Every structure is written in C-alpha cells, then in structure tokens.
Amino acid sequence: GAVVSQHPSWVICKSGTSVKIECRSLDFQATTMFWYRQFPKQSLMLMATSNEGSKATYEQGVEKDKFLINHASLTLSTLTVTSAHPEDSSFYICSARRAGGRDTQYFGPGTRLTVL
Amino acid sequence: KQEVTQIPAALSVPEGENLVLNCSFTDSAIYNLQWFRQDPGKGLTSLLLIQSSQREQTSGRLNASLDKSSGRSTLYIAASQPGDSATYLCAVIVGAGGTSYGKLTFGQGTILTVHP
C-alpha cells in the first residue's frame, strides 16, 4: 500500500504557458501533501506544504502566484506552474502523508518539466 | 535552520565491499531521520526510518544508525552489489516534545557506484 502517482511524468512546454502537475495518493487518504523541486545534481528542496481544504504554506523564496497549489480532496493535490520560463525547468516531486498515520511521507515518481 | 550534510558526495567501490555513508545535521531536535534511494530521473524510495528515540534500524543488507546528540547518522551497506548503484539521500524531520513539524530537510546525497 501507500502508492503515490504523479501525472504527467514529463512535460515540455513553451515559455509563457502554464503547466499543471497532479499528485494522487492511490490507496490511502492524505491530509498533507508536500511539493519539492530538484535541480540537476542537487537535492530536493521543499517548495510548499499542502493541507486538504486549506491554503498551502510556501517556503521562503517560493512565489505563491507562480506556483499555485490546490489540495481539493484527500487524494489529490495539484501544482500549477504559471507563465513558465526556462528557469522553471526542473524535476518536481510530491509526497503524501497518510491521515492519522505516522510521519512517514510517501513519494511520487516525479515530473520532469522542460520549458523551451 | 536545520542543515543536513552528506559525506562523501560520491563513492565508487567494487562489488562485494561493505561501505558506510555519512549524514550529519545541525539541529539535534529531530523527530525522525530517513534514508532514501533515488535512481536517475526517478522518485524516492524510502529505505529506513529511524525515530528520534531509536538508535538503529535494519533492513536486509542495510543498517542505519542514529546518534542524535552528536547530530550524525550512518547508513551501512553490506556486500554491495551493482544494483545498489544510486543516489542515497538522508533527510530529517524537525520536531520537539514528541511533535513533528512535518517538513523534511534533505542532504545533498551520496552518489554510489558499485562496479562488477
């Protein structure tokens, strides 16, 4: 159990367009989901914490208006990169924490975003 | 602010060797510590989770230890195999008084190559 999926697994878009990435917990309910960004050969950096039914909490330096996060249900969180630019190209990974469970986070497989 | 450092940054060993990966963290008030494996272009696979009250965890050929007072953890891999080649990430969750603050802080990772 505890499977997290992401869609799409990769996306290429033109500069200025918006891209939506979905993160789903397939077999459990997740009250909290986390979004991370990973640049090549670097570690994961937490972007924001998403709680079901409330506004996301963003880390310092992450633009709220650029990275829109919605956590509308206990199994789905979305990250929308608005007006994407080449510098937004990165590997985006989500994780989900099981409702009422221990503090283990289960990670999705990641989404590779390339902005041309 | 919690900072996590992993040494070495890269390690190349022949098959069959036992090896140790090191992780250090600056704030000893951690809730738990996790070791992850990441294959190129993929998401994270959780290997071991050590609660702050524990000293070590074992899974197969892997053994992770935790010395909270000195801010250190080690991941021991016995009888390494080419399939162990991956990036190994250490991450901590800060917490206090038995309460987790929920956010994972990652180290930069150790790139392990096991050659036949």
Side-chain angles (χ1 to χ4, degrees):
Chain A
V3 177
V4 176
S5 70
Q6 282 185 240
H7 179 78
S9 55
W10 60 269
V11 57
I12 302 173
C13 70
K14 293 182 179 180
S15 185
T17 60
S18 293
V19 175
K20 181 186 284 188
I21 302 170
E22 292 184 348
C23 177
R24 292 182 185 272
S25 55
L26 298 183
D27 51 2
F28 66 99
Q29 293 185 328
T31 51
T32 305
M33 289 185 171
F34 303 86
W35 286 96
Y36 297 85
R37 181 167 54 183
Q38 185 178 33
F39 291 108
K41 299 191 184 300
Q42 295 188 25
S43 192
L44 281 73
M45 296 298 294
L46 179 65
M47 298 174 65
T49 302
S50 164
N51 291 296
E52 187 266 337
S54 63
K55 291 184 179 180
T57 303
Y58 290 81
E59 295 300 299
Q60 192 172 8
V62 178
E63 299 175 59
K64 301 178 184 181
D65 295 332
K66 181 164 189 61
F67 299 100
L68 302 179
I69 293 174
N70 183 279
H71 192 161
S73 77
L74 284 172
T75 60
L76 174 64
S77 176
T78 60
L79 167 67
T80 301
V81 183
T82 62
S83 187
H85 288 95
E87 57 265 31
D88 299 323
S89 298
S90 186
F91 193 54
Y92 292 86
I93 304 178
C94 73
S95 70
R97 188 167 64 191
R98 191 195 299 264
R102 293 172 61 183
D103 208 23
T104 305
Q105 292 182 28
Y106 301 95
F107 283 80
T111 297
R112 171 75 59 193
L113 170 63
T114 302
V115 185
L116 303 177
Chain B
K1 179 185 174 184
Q2 178 74 269
E3 292 183 3
V4 181
T5 304
Q6 290 186 244
I7 295 173
L11 182 63
S12 180
V13 299
E15 182 176 6
E17 268 203 14
N18 302 324
L19 55 98
V20 175
L21 308 181
N22 297 291
C23 172
S24 61
F25 45 94
T26 55
D27 186 345
S28 62
I30 64 169
Y31 185 76
N32 65 39
L33 181 145
Q34 278 186 274
W35 283 93
F36 294 89
R37 168 187 173 134
Q38 185 177 31
D39 293 291
K42 304 289 186 180
L44 275 65
T45 300
S46 180
L47 298 174
L48 291 165
L49 182 151
I50 310 178
Q51 299 290 348
S52 63
S53 58
Q54 298 176 321
R55 300 282 288 188
E56 67 176 340
Q57 282 285 338
T58 298
S59 176
R61 294 182 293 108
L62 305 179
N63 176 276
S65 68
L66 173 64
D67 184 342
K68 213 174 77 159
S69 61
S70 66
R72 293 179 184 177
S73 175
T74 60
L75 178 66
Y76 176 83
I77 303 177
S80 59
Q81 303 170 357
D84 294 332
S85 299
T87 297
Y88 289 81
L89 294 162
C90 163
V92 299
I93 289 184
V94 176
T99 300
S100 165
Y101 298 157
K103 300 179 188 178
L104 277 169
T105 301
F106 284 86
Q108 295 289 79
T110 294
I111 302 172
L112 173 65
T113 303
V114 182
H115 47 87

